[in-house]
């Protein structure tokens, strides 16, 4: 991948340098190049304090500067009001020196390799414009003759505006007869007497310098043709016809020369009467469609003239007396301009051919002047230097031909200048790109790596990767090797690249480092979302990116293309937290397209979502009422925006100014897809209406109110409703009803007609007119049915005929008591009471129900005690029996029944006396065991406080329980027939077993709920438990006594040993207890207590049994004080509290301490 050299190389390089321009790195010595200067001309305005003229160039070595003014070296004075810039050729001077610095300047920048120069810069210092002081004679003309008033305005800084005014600053009126030319003169096609005045003055305004000057006022006198007519207004019909003449321009022909691009303005201002018409034409051609005719066609304008617009133009002025013409010869010229572009600087090798072309255009043809380093450059064939018109040729150029060549083309319209740097040199490659430059690119993207080289002749450039020449269709070498482009980079493209440049003068190389990065991706883009206004919106944007680019990574949010600027202020509604954008208190302005942009210094990814804001609907608009002469009107409206939530309904509200002014009430609802409502209105009201819309978010604001609508009065539309009849007194009937609302009156004079009659008794209605919504009918029968109706009316008529309702007159207390009262005892506490109902006529009102009263007279358990326990219950409605709870067993009661209504209670029935049977007793309050032995226990209890009858005895059940599951193994029953018994001795129990005891008290009615307690029988010391039947054998009892004796001896020995500080181990008793059951204990060692009074601990730790036996044994100990000899020994082994335990699932356990 090397670039071929040879003779063609030099020519191609020279051509390329000229065609594309030359950029010489600043590290290489080079002549100056002008990079900035002030373009002329410069107008020094009086309002400017200072004037600055710039000139700046670059070069190596840095250039120096000199100025030439009007062809002479300029030496700037060393005074404070004239300042220079040491870094460049710029100078500045104060306005007091403006006149001194008037002239034409050139700036020259030079170093040892050449001199560059600027085009001519002219500084113009205008003088203040003034009209000359003149003494002007009065212009006297005959009526009908043309007049020309000359302005001759002074020159000044453009733009200049001209106009004619009087001395009191009134504009001279211009029309088809009177007009001003572009030269400032004022022309009258013919004179009239009214044109006579002494203060015609031409004004010139120079806006840029803020100056207005005016000419000495001129006097015009128009002499009348008919001296007898003194009117200021002349009769035009009396004027003689005058042939046309041209007031502007003069003569038959004139020449116009314009620069290309300027606007052409031609004027033909005629004189004559009648006013001549003006027509235009172009000789030999049709007029361009770009022409503009104004000032009554007196002025022709063609904007932006071009060569095709030049030619001969003719204007013709004509009236009934004749015509006149004028020819304009229009020529279009142009200042010098580059034909394509200015000539470019060149770099070439020694001995090559150099050709500099200065191709310009212009009219007239520009003259070309050549300079080298600011000095005139002429043809020198001896030294192989040739100048031919617009071309300079250097044959076999050498280093002495290097420098700055100037080409200046000029004609009378201007000039153009080009500085062309020509370097003739041989130079080894100079690397302009930094060595070991690092490049980064996203995988899949394109990358261009630089290897910029400056050399003469041009270098051959090659690229390698880690020592291997680069090949492949994805790799492209550009710009003769100065750039390596990799298309569609891959991870494997990362690495070290080398670039080598060489020419005939030497070789140079550099290294480039390429790193292919992972792309930035949005893996969880934001989703379209609908948010209710006023709530929180959250948009997610989760990203992935190359972690090596973390310092440049950022996430940017935009709304509708505008970036959302993150603000740390608390008032900001936009909060960015991690991958989320939160918008607080969303409003309608937040709706739009949101774009999440995740970007690094190398790439970016974006995703968009649309945020829809849901809000209440806008207020409806343009409310309109139709059919306004009727009480049935149509209201229509234009719905407002629904804010992305469909309107479900419209609510029509009204306000009337008579009864409740300012209060809006709902009148009607219509479906959300309608925009009209049929409204039925009340009469004699002054309405206005408004409408609001409702959607899923809520109700929106109301619309503007309509104009007031007055409805005509009418009879009431309805009669009162909700008629209520009460009888507070026996012979009265109170009637009340819901009155009509004031808005329902429909007119003045509202009142109500109350009509009533006895139901099915009277045919004639009794009628009364009232204004209040109530009426009392007096002297009625007690609780008699009536028909009642209420009708409304006003001064315009009656409301609709109402339907009658039925009601009753006042109630009184019932007069009769229920008969045949009977009591059926269901159980000890419940009764069934029955009776015969009273006659309806005796109720004298609406039947409320029945009351049952009872009184407990005595208890059969204490027949001599007198009781005063009373109670009652009410049973509403019509009935003949009731179930009554709450009675005490084994007692005597007295019971009565009466009826009641709203007025009160009737008399009670004859009393009925009855007895309740015995009931089962209550629970035995306390059950405990004492004197617990191996096979027996003494149960004691406290009699129940509530017996509900005569006690007949007690019923005892006791159950032997399983050691682990506590399930019942055996059950036993015992009837205790003595009602006075409070204890029982139970024998034949299995030693060391848990038991549950259930004791119930009994009467003839049965036994009450049991009291349950659980206890454990004890086991003799050293004796293991066997199956349940063994403990009942006599031989076993004898053996147990022997074992007890031996145990006592062991205890004495242990006690003696204990006092000596020793310990007795159960393991040593294996010789004393050789049976199999005792071997279960020899893995543990027990320590005896030093105190004989301290109870020993049990072997089983069972929560249930522990709580039961603990209570019972403690109680027993408290009551008995101490055990007898045998009992105390056994009791110690049966104690409830355990410190150590040994439990085997299939064998009994023994405890020793």
């Amino acid at each position: 991948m090397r670039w071929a050299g040879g003779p063609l190389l030099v020519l191609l390089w020279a051509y390329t340098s000229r065609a594309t321009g030359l950029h010489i790195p600043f590290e290489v010595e080079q002549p100056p190049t002008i990079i900035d200067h002030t373009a002329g001309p410069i107008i020094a305005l009086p309002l400017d304090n200072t004037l600055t003229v710039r000139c700046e160039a670059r070069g190596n070595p840095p250039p120096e500067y000199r100025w030439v003014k009007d062809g002479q070296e300029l030496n700037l004075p060393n005074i404070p009001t004239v300042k220079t810039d040491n870094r460049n050729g710029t100078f500045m001077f104060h306005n007091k020196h403006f006149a001194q610095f008037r002239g034409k300047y050139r700036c020259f920048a030079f170093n040892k390799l050449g001199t560059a120069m600027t085009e001519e810069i002219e500084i113009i210092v205008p003088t203040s414009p003034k009209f000359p002081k003149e003494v002007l004679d009065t212009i006297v003309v005959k009526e009908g003759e043309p007049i020309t008033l000359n302005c001759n305005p002074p020159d000044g800084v453009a733009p200049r505006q001209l106009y004619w005014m009087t001395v009191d600053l009134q504009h001279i009126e211009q029309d088809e007869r009177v007009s001003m030319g572009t030269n400032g003169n004022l022309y009258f096609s013919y004179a009239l007497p009214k044109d006579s005045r002494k203060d015609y003055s031409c004004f010139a305004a120079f806006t840029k310098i803020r100056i207005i000057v005016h000419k000495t006022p001129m006097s015009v006198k128009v002499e009348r043709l008919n001296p007898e007519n003194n009117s200021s207004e002349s009769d035009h019909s009396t004027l003689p016809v005058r042939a046309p003449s041209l007031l502007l321009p003069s003569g038959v022909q004139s020449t116009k020369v314009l620069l290309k691009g300027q606007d052409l303005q031609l004027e033909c201002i005629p004189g004559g009467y009648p006013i001549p018409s003006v027509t235009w034409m172009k000789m030999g051609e049709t007029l361009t469609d770009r022409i503009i005719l104004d000032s009554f066609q007196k002025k022709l304008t063609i904007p932006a003239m071009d060569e095709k617009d030049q030619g001969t133009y003719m204007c013709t002025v004509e009236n009934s007396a004749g015509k006149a013409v004028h020819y304009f010869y229009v020529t279009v010229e142009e200042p010098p301009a580059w034909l394509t572009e200015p000539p470019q600087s060149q770099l070439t090798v020694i001995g090559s051919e150099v050709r500099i072309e200065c191709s310009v255009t212009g009219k007239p043809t520009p003259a070309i002047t050549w300079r080298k380093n600011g000095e005139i450059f002429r043809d020198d064939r001896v030294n192989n230097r040739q100048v031919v018109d617009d071309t300079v040729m250097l044959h076999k150029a050498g280093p002495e031909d290097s420098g700055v060549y100037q080409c200046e083309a000029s004609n009378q319209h201007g000039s153009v200048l080009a500085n062309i740097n020509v370097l003739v040199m041989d130079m080894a490659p100079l690397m302009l790109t930094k060595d070991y430059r690092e490049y980064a690119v996203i995988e899949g993207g394109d990358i261009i790596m630089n290897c910029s080289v400056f050399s003469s002749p041009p270098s051959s450039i090659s690229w390698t990767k880690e020592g291997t020449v680069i090949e492949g269709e994805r790799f492209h070498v550009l710009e003769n090797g100065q750039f390596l482009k990799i298309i569609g980079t891959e991870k494997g493209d990362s690495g070290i690249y080398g670039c080598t440049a060489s020419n005939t003068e030497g070789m140079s190389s550099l290294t480039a480092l390429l790193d292919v990065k992972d792309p930035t991706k949005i893996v969880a883009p934001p989703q379209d979302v609908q948010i209710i206004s006023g709530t929180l919106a959250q948009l997610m944007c989760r990203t992935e990116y190359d972690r090596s680019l973390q310092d440049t990574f950022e996430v940017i949010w935009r709304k509708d293309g505008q970036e959302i600027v993150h603000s740390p202020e608390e008032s900001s509604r936009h909060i960015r937290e991690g991958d989320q954008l939160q918008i607080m208190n969303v409003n309608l302005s937040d709706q739009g397209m949101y774009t999440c942009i995740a970007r690094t210094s190398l790439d970016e990814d974006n995703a968009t979502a649309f945020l829809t804001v849901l809000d209440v609907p806008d207020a409806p608009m343009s409310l309109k009422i139709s059919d306004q002469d009727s009480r049935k009107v149509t209201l229509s409206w234009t719905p407002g925006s629904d804010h992305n939530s469909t309107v479900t309904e419209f609510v029509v509200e009204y306000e009337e100014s008579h009864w409740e002014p300012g209060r809006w009430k709902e009148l009607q609802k219509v479906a959300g897809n309608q925009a009209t409502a049929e409204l039925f209105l009340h009469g004699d009201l002054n309405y206005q209406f408004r409408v609001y819309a409702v959607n899923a978010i809520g109700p929106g604001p109301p619309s503007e109110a309509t104009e007031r609508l007055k409805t005509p009065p009418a009879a009431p539309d309805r009669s009162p409703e909700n008629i209520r009849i009460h009888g507070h007194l026996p012979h009265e009937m109170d009637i009340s009803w819901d009155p009509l609302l004031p808005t329902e009156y429909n007119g003045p004079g509202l009142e109500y007609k109350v009509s009533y009659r006895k139901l099915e008794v009277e045919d004639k209605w009794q009628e009364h007119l009232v204004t209040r919504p109530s009426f009392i009918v007096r002297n009625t029968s007690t609780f008699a049915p009536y028909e009642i109706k209420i009708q409304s009316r006003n001064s315009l008529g009656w409301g609709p005929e109402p339907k009658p309702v039925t009601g009753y007159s006042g109630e009184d207390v019932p007069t009769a008591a229920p008969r045949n009262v009977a009591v059926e005892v269901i159980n000890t506490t419940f009764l069934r009471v029955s009776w015969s109902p009273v006659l309806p006529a005796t109720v004298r009102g609406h039947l409320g129900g029945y009351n049952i009263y009872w009184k407990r007279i005595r208890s059969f358990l204490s027949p001599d005690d007198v009781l005063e326990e009373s109670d009652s219950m009410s049973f509403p409605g019509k009935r003949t029996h009731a179930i009554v709870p709450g009675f005490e067993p084994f007692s005597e009661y007295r019971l009565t029944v009466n009826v009641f209504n709203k007025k009160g209670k009737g008399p009670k029935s004859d009393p009925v006396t009855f007895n309740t049977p015995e009931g089962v007793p209550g629970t035995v309050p306390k059950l405990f065991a004492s004197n617990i032995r191996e096979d027996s226990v003494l149960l004691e209890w406290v009699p129940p406080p509530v017996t509900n009858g005569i006690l007949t005895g007690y019923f005892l059940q006791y159950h032997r329980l399983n050691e682990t599951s506590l399930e019942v193994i055996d059950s036993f029953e015992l009837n205790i027939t003595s009602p006075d018994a409070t204890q029982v001795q139970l024998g034949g129990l299995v030693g060391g077993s848990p038991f549950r005891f259930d004791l119930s008290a009994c009467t003839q009615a049965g036994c009450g709920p049991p009291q349950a307690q659980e206890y454990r029988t004890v086991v003799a010391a050293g004796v293991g438990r066997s199956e349940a039947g063994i403990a009942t054998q006599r031989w076993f009892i004898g053996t147990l006594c022997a074992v007890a004796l031996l145990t006592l001896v062991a205890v004495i020995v242990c006690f003696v040993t204990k006092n000596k500080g020793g310990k007795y181990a159960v393991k040593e008793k294996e010789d004393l207890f050789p049976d199999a059951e005792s071997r279960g204990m020899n893995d543990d060692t027990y320590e005896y207590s030093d105190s004989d009074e301290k109870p020993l601990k049990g072997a089983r730790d069972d929560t249930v049994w522990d709580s039961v036996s603990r209570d019972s044994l403690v109680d027993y100990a408290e009551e008995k004080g101490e055990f007898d000899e045998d009992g105390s020994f056994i009791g110690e082994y049966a104690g409830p509290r355990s410190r150590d335990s040994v439990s085997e699932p299939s064998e009994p356990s023994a405890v020793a301490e």
Side-chain angles (χ1 to χ4, degrees), residues 41 49 60 102 177 394 420 573 609 674 812 1024 1068 1107 1121:
N49 290 325
N60 187 7
R102 181 188 289 113
R177 183 179 68 90
L394 307 176
I420 305 104
R573 296 189 303 108
Q674 297 183 17
D812 206 346
E1068 296 176 358
S1107 62

Side-chain angles (χ1 to χ4, degrees), residues 41-48 51 93 95 97-103 122-130 154-159 206 208-211:
I42 305 171
I43 299 176
L45 300 176
L47 299 178
D48 296 334
L51 189 67
F93 52 92
N95 61 4
H97 304 298
F98 279 3
Q100 177 184 347
F101 279 87
R102 181 188 289 113
E122 183 178 7
I123 297 178
I124 301 173
V125 182
T127 58
S128 180
K130 295 179 181 179
D155 293 330
V157 179
F206 300 89
K208 197 165 187 178
I209 58 176
R210 303 178 186 175
I211 292 178

Side-chain angles (χ1 to χ4, degrees), residues 38 48-55 67 74 76-86 88-98 101 123:
T38 302
D48 296 334
N49 290 325
T50 59
L51 189 67
T52 301
V53 185
R54 300 186 314 278
C55 180
W67 284 90
L74 175 65
L76 294 171
N78 187 16
I79 56 177
T81 52
V82 178
K83 297 181 179 180
T84 59
D85 192 333
N86 295 328
N88 49 51
T90 300
F91 67 92
M92 180 269 293
F93 52 92
H94 197 269
N95 61 4
K96 66 171 65 175
H97 304 298
F98 279 3
F101 279 87
I123 297 178

Side-chain angles (χ1 to χ4, degrees), residues 622-921:
S622 306
L623 271 66
K624 182 180 179 182
I625 303 174
S626 56
D627 301 328
Q628 297 189 15
D629 296 333
S630 169
R631 288 201 296 141
K632 185 178 182 181
V633 301
T634 300
L635 179 66
S636 60
W637 58 86
T638 300
S641 172
D642 62 5
H643 294 312
N644 307 304
S645 178
T646 304
V647 173
T648 56
E649 64 180 5
F650 290 97
V651 180
V652 181
E653 294 184 315
Y654 75 92
E655 182 264 349
E656 50 82 23
S657 60
H658 180 63
W659 298 104
E660 293 182 286
R663 183 181 177 187
W664 289 91
K665 300 179 182 178
E666 182 179 314
L667 179 61
Q668 188 173 329
K669 293 180 179 178
V670 298
N673 58 357
Q674 297 183 17
T676 60
E678 300 290 334
L679 307 179
F680 183 78
L681 308 177
H682 297 299
D684 199 29
L685 291 179
N686 197 15
Y687 281 98
Q688 63 177 350
F689 306 96
R690 70 183 187 186
V691 182
Y692 66 86
V694 181
N695 62 11
I697 311 304
S703 66
E704 294 289 333
T706 63
E707 297 292 330
R708 291 281 181 182
L709 172 65
K710 176 69 175 178
T711 54
D717 294 318
R718 70 176 183 90
S719 290
E721 299 174 349
N722 192 23
I723 300 174
R724 300 174 294 278
I725 298 97
H726 302 285
H728 298 293
L729 296 175
H731 300 292
E732 289 183 355
M733 180 171 61
D734 296 346
I735 306 172
S736 62
W737 56 89
D738 291 342
L740 268 64
L741 298 175
T743 55
E744 298 176 317
Y745 288 178
N746 283 357
L750 182 79
E751 53 186 358
Y752 303 98
K753 181 176 71 173
V754 181
S755 304
Y756 59 91
R757 65 182 179 184
K758 274 191 176 181
L759 183 63
E760 299 179 353
V761 174
E762 298 176 352
D763 294 332
K764 184 178 179 182
W765 291 90
Q766 300 293 323
E767 297 178 346
H768 298 273
L769 286 174
V770 297
T771 57
R772 298 178 61 184
S774 62
F775 182 73
I776 300 177
V777 181
R778 305 184 189 279
N779 301 320
T780 62
S781 303
T782 301
F783 198 63
Y786 281 83
E787 282 185 301
I788 302 100
K789 58 183 181 180
I790 313 296
Q791 186 176 14
S792 59
R793 58 165 273 180
N794 62 18
S795 58
L796 282 86
W798 292 95
E801 181 69 24
K803 293 182 179 180
V805 298
T806 301
Y808 288 83
S809 57
E811 299 184 21
D812 206 346
V813 296
T815 59
R819 295 172 293 107
N820 303 323
V821 177
V823 174
E824 177 184 354
V825 179
I826 298 176
N827 57 33
T828 58
T829 59
F830 278 81
L831 306 178
R832 183 180 187 277
V833 182
S834 60
W835 60 87
S836 297
V838 297
L839 296 176
T842 64
V843 176
R844 300 203 297 178
H846 295 286
L847 176 64
Y850 292 86
N851 292 321
I852 298 178
Y853 303 87
W854 64 90
K855 182 177 182 181
R856 186 182 181 196
I857 300 173
R858 59 176 175 164
S859 171
F860 292 120
L861 295 176
S862 303
D864 296 333
D865 295 341
V866 178
L867 303 177
E868 294 294 336
E869 300 175 5
S870 299
D871 206 348
S872 66
M873 288 187 69
S874 294
F875 298 90
K878 186 177 180 181
R879 57 173 63 222
T880 59
H881 68 276
I883 303 298
V884 186
F887 292 89
E888 296 291 337
F890 208 44
S891 300
E892 182 180 359
Y893 283 90
R894 183 179 294 117
L895 180 144
T896 58
V897 182
N898 68 359
V899 67
F900 65 90
N901 60 19
K902 292 181 180 179
K903 194 66 177 176
K905 304 172 184 177
K908 293 182 179 180
S909 65
D910 294 334
V912 175
T913 301
F914 63 92
N915 300 331
T916 55
E918 288 188 73
V920 298

